[in-house]
Structure formats: C-alpha cells, structure tokens
Amino acid sequence: MNIDQILDQIYILPEASKNSLKAYITEVSHPKGYCLMEADKVIPFIYFIRKGIARAYSSTSDNDITFWFGSEGQCVLSMKSYVESKPGYESIELLEDCDLYILETENLRRLFNEDIHIANWGRKLAEAEMIKSEELIISRQFKTSLERYKDIIQYQPDLLKRVQLGHIASYLGITQVSLSRIRAEIK
C-alpha cells in the first residue's frame, strides 16, 4: 500500500493537510528479524507497513508471548510512547523483509497544534488502535483457542502462510502441540 492509501484508511484529510503530514514521512527498509521497537524504551516514531509483516511481543523469563501481528497498511506504534512519551511494554520484530513509512512523533505533535484536520487524524488513529486493543482483550477473555484460530482463518488467512506456527501458537496462548491438534480437528 502506498502512504496515501494508508493515511486515508485512518481518516480522509484535505489535500493540503495530507501534504503537510506527508512532508514528515519517509521510507525505510529493514530485514527480517530486525527489532523495530524494544520494550522498556521510549519509541519516538510511528511506522506504517508498506510491505511485510511484524509481530508485537512481550518477553517473560521462559519465552516470548506474541499478542499482535501487523501487515500491509497497518500502523506500528507503542501507544504508551505515542500518548505519554513513556517507555512501551512491547517489542516489535519484523517477520519478513519490510518496507515501512516512518513518522517522528514529535513532528506529528507539532502538526496537531498547527492543523485541526491532522489533530483529528491523530485522534482517529488513537481510537482505531484502542479498538484493536479492546477486541484483543475480549477475544482472549471470552473465546477459546479454537475460536481464535478460526478468527485467524476468517479474518487474517495470510498469517498462516507468512508466520511461523510457533508465533501463531503464542498468539493464541497455546503450545505448538495444541495448535497441531486444532489444525487437525479443522481439516
């Protein structure tokens, strides 16, 4: 997806406002395995995925727990850093070679003060991210791992082709053995 498509899916901006915002957005590329964001650090950037896939995870003493996947067109940010300029909870790893758009948060905040349309765009971005978080929490609390796996099949089928099963199992909160049983049950 190009940057215009990504920005428009968040909130349609007047052309002048969109151009002001785009003036602060640049493109970067990073290889598979690159750590885009580290937990316990303030991340002064927002990313948008042009091409590729990433995962957000938290580490425990035993393993990493994946709680989010992002692919083309999606925003990658630490909400804690974005909203409060404080260290985030999550690490973000690229699962494929990725082409990304990058926007420095400080520049975005400056634009919020200068342009009400961009401020509204930022509000819509935060609202969308909050809804994603709410949906994730509700899904983990009220759906079984089988139901959550069926949701992946229905809403994010490309994940099953692009992401290691270990990451999928972690995302579902189950072991790879349990995931294998679920997959066999569905076939």
Side-chain angles (χ1 to χ4, degrees), residues 147-164:
E147 290 169 326
R148 292 192 318 270
Y149 184 73
K150 286 181 178 178
D151 283 348
I152 291 173
I153 292 170
Q154 183 174 358
Y155 301 112
Q156 298 175 292
D158 64 318
L159 282 182
L160 302 174
K161 298 174 190 157
R162 298 169 71 183
V163 174
Q164 297 172 19

Side-chain angles (χ1 to χ4, degrees), residues 88-101:
Y89 310 103
E90 67 279 278
S91 293
I92 308 283
E93 174 190 18
L94 303 182
L95 300 178
E96 296 177 346
D97 293 344
C98 286
D99 297 329
L100 306 151
Y101 298 105

